[in-house]
Amino acid sequence: DSGVTQTPKHLITATGQRVTLRCSPRSGDLSVYWYQQSLDQGLQFLIQYYNGEERAKGNILERFSAQQFPDLHSELNLSSLELGDSALYFCASSETWSSYEQYFGPGTRLTVT
Amino acid sequence: ELKVEQNPLFLSMQEGKNYTIYCNYSTTSDRLYWYRQDPGKSLESLFVLLSNGAVKQEGRLMASLDTKARLSTLHITAAVHDLSATYFCAVDNGNSMYSGGGADGLTFGKGTHLIIQP
């Protein structure tokens, strides 16, 4: 158990809908990262937040957005969902500005029907 | 665009044998990561390599980094069935809007699906 929690574990929704995935980092970790894992694209970095501010963007679609709250938990919002958005979404966290280790949560499996 | 290539992508081997997984990358990053993933599970951090010539070992696994060759290897010694999993290497993107330390988003290889037969 990495100490990173994600909810929900599974999510089934229809095309065109909007969902929110939630992540709580390890206690004391300031950075949160979001990744998407799919059979087509493999593991892709989406976005990173550090202490409430966006720090880096990866291959995140415009239909997706994220934020990190004052208590350091983060949410990933996915809207206008398409079949191709079905994937495993991981959140990871790391300790401080100078820490390089990233700890991954258990993931949220999203199925779009 | 940063590219990370692993080979082989699939490996079936017998218990007791040795083998090496290779990871080539296209950037000058000094930070290279190895992760293990079991089916349907999350990613478990195995090694974080932070400098040229870094070598780390844990049990039957040993990872090394050659930043000049942009190559990392994960060597498996005397494989056992419990090591069956998918192994990913990843490189720090270095694309943060901020300078300074701290991990950036990672670019992953496609993974090596390792099956170890009894």
Side-chain angles (χ1 to χ4, degrees):
Chain A
D1 185 355
S2 67
V4 179
T5 60
Q6 290 186 247
T7 56
K9 288 187 178 179
H10 302 277
L11 198 49
I12 301 174
T13 189
T15 55
Q17 295 299 304
R18 172 190 170 95
V19 296
T20 297
L21 312 183
R22 182 188 170 103
C23 167
S24 293
R26 296 186 323 151
S27 178
D29 284 3
L30 300 178
S31 273
V32 169
Y33 311 78
W34 286 97
Y35 294 87
Q36 178 196 60
Q37 184 176 33
S38 66
L39 288 175
D40 291 345
Q41 302 294 328
L43 267 162
Q44 288 195 107
F45 166 64
L46 297 179
I47 197 165
Q48 177 195 359
Y49 279 81
Y50 175 79
N51 203 21
E53 294 191 5
E54 181 184 306
R55 185 179 177 199
K57 269 188 176 180
N59 299 321
I60 188 166
L61 300 173
E62 287 191 8
R63 300 183 285 109
F64 295 1
S65 65
Q67 54 185 326
Q68 187 179 26
F69 294 87
D71 67 353
L72 300 177
H73 90 271
S74 178
E75 292 181 356
L76 179 66
N77 301 297
L78 315 175
S79 61
S80 302
L81 285 167
E82 302 175 358
L83 295 177
D85 297 328
S86 296
L88 196 51
Y89 290 84
F90 287 111
C91 167
S93 71
S94 70
E95 187 178 311
T96 64
W97 185 259
S98 61
S99 171
Y100 298 102
E101 187 94 37
Q102 290 188 30
Y103 299 90
F104 280 72
T108 293
R109 182 168 294 282
L110 173 66
T111 302
V112 182
T113 62
Chain B
E1 180 189 349
L2 171 55
K3 292 185 179 179
V4 180
E5 294 185 354
Q6 283 182 243
N7 70 83
L9 297 182
F10 181 83
L11 177 57
S12 180
M13 55 191 293
Q14 288 187 318
E15 280 191 328
K17 300 292 187 182
N18 303 332
Y19 211 84
T20 300
I21 300 170
Y22 298 88
C23 176
N24 290 90
Y25 56 96
S26 63
T27 184
T28 55
S29 174
D30 290 342
R31 301 196 284 266
L32 192 292
Y33 302 73
W34 285 97
Y35 285 90
R36 168 182 172 149
Q37 186 178 37
D38 292 302
K41 302 294 186 182
S42 184
L43 284 88
E44 174 190 355
S45 178
L46 296 175
F47 301 108
V48 181
L49 304 170
L50 299 177
S51 61
N52 185 41
V55 177
K56 289 193 174 181
Q57 183 164 4
E58 181 71 35
R60 300 174 189 275
L61 301 178
M62 183 174 71
S64 65
L65 178 61
D66 181 345
T67 59
K68 294 180 181 178
R70 299 181 186 176
L71 170 69
S72 180
T73 60
L74 180 66
H75 186 73
I76 303 158
T77 302
V80 293
H81 178 67
D82 285 351
L83 291 178
S84 297
T86 299
Y87 293 85
F88 291 93
C89 67
V91 176
D92 198 308
N93 287 342
N95 66 345
S96 168
M97 295 183 288
Y98 299 84
S99 61
D104 295 317
L106 303 180
T107 295
F108 283 82
K110 292 185 183 298
T112 297
H113 185 51
L114 175 63
I115 295 176
I116 300 171
Q117 314 267 13

